[in-house]
């Protein structure tokens, strides 16, 4: 970033880090793509087919194909308006689900190595060695984060990805139970059903699982 550049932050996550000179943060949006589309509607730029393709991809990526709680009538109206520009929505949707041969092997690893507790909590750790074994890069696994949630018995799931530096990136995901409180307990945060954090080691990974298990059991008891 050039020294002295004017920084504008556009985000739909909680504003824990208001780093820009201008911050437009609105948690009612399901994606930044929707927010950027609103800028186009205000006359800031023209939505060409190329722009619409990227914005539509951003929406279906952030909403996991319109399945997150933040998906709203506004989301669907904007997606419809983008689709009306004659973009190839089928191709975009297929690209969002693309798996390379290496990622398909990681897919199998996640399903075979995850632990599913009787409470409905699933958790899996991806060590750096699995990335090396499959010739994958750190970050390639992002497409698989929703995977455990496809299982009918899973209510909450935790992805622990070992970073190249040796700490663990944690993805907290849930179908209905709030996971943000546990994420915040480990200096993370995000949305009620989708949060993140970084923890230093496997001992702390165990602590995250323990606290999340308690949260799931408490929520289940209330239900």
């Amino acid at each position: 970033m050039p020294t002295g550049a004017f920084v504008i932050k556009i985000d739909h996550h909680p504003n824990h880090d208001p780093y820009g000179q201008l911050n437009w943060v609105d948690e009612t949006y399901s994606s930044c793509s929707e927010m950027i589309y609103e800028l186009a509607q205000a006359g800031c730029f023209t939505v060409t087919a190329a722009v619409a393709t990227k914005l539509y991809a951003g929406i279906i990526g952030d909403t996991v194909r319109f399945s997150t709680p933040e998906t709203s009538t506004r989301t669907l109206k904007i997606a419809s308006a983008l689709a009306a520009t004659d973009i190839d929505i089928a191709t975009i949707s297929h690209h969002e689900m693309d798996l390379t041969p290496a990622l398909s092997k990681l897919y199998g690893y996640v399903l075979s190595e995850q632990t599913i507790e009787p409470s409905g909590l699933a958790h899996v750790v991806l060590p750096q060695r699995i990335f090396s074994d499959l010739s994958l890069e750190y970050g390639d696994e992002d497409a698989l984060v929703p995977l455990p949630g496809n299982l009918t018995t899973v209510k909450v799931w935790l992805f622990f990805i070992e970073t190249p530096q040796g700490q663990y990136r944690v993805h907290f995901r849930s179908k209905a139970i709030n996971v943000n409180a546990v994420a915040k307990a480990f200096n993370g945060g995000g949305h009620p059903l989708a949060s993140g954090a970084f923890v230093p080691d496997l001992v702390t990974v165990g602590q995250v699982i323990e606290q999340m298990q308690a949260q799931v059991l408490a929520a289940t008891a209330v239900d």
Side-chain angles (χ1 to χ4, degrees), residues 74-146:
R74 176 175 59 194
T75 306
L76 298 177
K77 286 178 181 178
I78 292 175
S80 177
L82 293 170
T85 63
D86 292 329
I87 60 176
D88 190 343
I89 58 176
T91 297
I92 297 169
S93 296
H94 282 302
H95 279 320
E96 287 291 323
M97 298 182 287
D98 279 348
L99 288 179
T100 64
L103 269 179
S104 70
K105 293 179 181 179
L106 187 61
Y107 191 114
Y109 179 90
V110 170
L111 290 179
S112 63
E113 296 298 322
Q114 68 181 343
T115 298
I116 303 176
E117 308 289 352
S119 64
L121 171 64
H123 48 89
V124 64
V125 177
L126 300 185
Q128 267 296 305
R129 63 169 177 78
I130 196 68
F131 289 92
S132 298
D133 291 347
L134 298 178
S135 299
L136 290 169
E137 298 291 334
Y138 173 71
D140 289 345
E141 79 289 340
D142 284 351
L144 303 186
V145 172

Side-chain angles (χ1 to χ4, degrees), residues 9-199:
K9 177 182 180 181
I10 301 174
D11 199 2
H12 67 110
H13 296 97
N15 197 22
H16 298 308
D17 183 20
Y19 54 78
Q21 281 79 32
L22 176 62
N23 285 264
W24 179 26
V25 178
D26 191 335
E27 296 175 51
T28 67
Y29 284 91
S30 70
S31 68
C32 288
S33 290
E34 291 174 60
M35 300 172 75
I36 293 170
Y37 177 82
E38 300 279 24
L39 292 177
Q41 293 302 100
C44 295
F45 61 92
T46 301
V47 178
T48 63
V51 170
T53 294
K54 291 177 173 60
L55 292 179
Y56 188 86
I59 289 174
I60 63 173
D62 250 337
T63 64
V64 193
R65 296 183 295 281
F66 308 111
S67 67
T68 62
E70 292 78 26
T71 304
S72 64
T73 54
R74 176 175 59 194
T75 306
L76 298 177
K77 286 178 181 178
I78 292 175
S80 177
L82 293 170
T85 63
D86 292 329
I87 60 176
D88 190 343
I89 58 176
T91 297
I92 297 169
S93 296
H94 282 302
H95 279 320
E96 287 291 323
M97 298 182 287
D98 279 348
L99 288 179
T100 64
L103 269 179
S104 70
K105 293 179 181 179
L106 187 61
Y107 191 114
Y109 179 90
V110 170
L111 290 179
S112 63
E113 296 298 322
Q114 68 181 343
T115 298
I116 303 176
E117 308 289 352
S119 64
L121 171 64
H123 48 89
V124 64
V125 177
L126 300 185
Q128 267 296 305
R129 63 169 177 78
I130 196 68
F131 289 92
S132 298
D133 291 347
L134 298 178
S135 299
L136 290 169
E137 298 291 334
Y138 173 71
D140 289 345
E141 79 289 340
D142 284 351
L144 303 186
V145 172
L147 179 58
N150 293 337
L151 300 176
T152 58
T153 55
V154 171
K155 300 174 183 177
V156 173
W157 60 105
L158 303 172
F159 251 89
F160 299 94
I161 299 100
E162 186 180 10
T163 71
Q165 295 74 36
Q167 60 178 168
Y168 291 84
R169 180 184 180 189
V170 192
H171 293 282
F172 298 78
R173 295 293 185 270
S174 174
K175 294 175 181 176
I177 296 170
N178 191 317
V179 296
N180 194 32
V182 178
K184 285 183 176 179
F186 292 90
N187 300 312
H191 295 297
L193 305 185
S195 294
F198 284 89
V199 296

Side-chain angles (χ1 to χ4, degrees), residues 197-220:
F198 284 89
V199 296
D201 49 40
L202 286 173
V203 172
T204 315
V205 164
Q207 293 170 354
V208 173
I209 294 171
E210 184 178 341
Q211 287 199 29
M212 197 70 255
Q213 172 79 321
Q215 180 82 355
V216 173
L217 290 172
T220 304

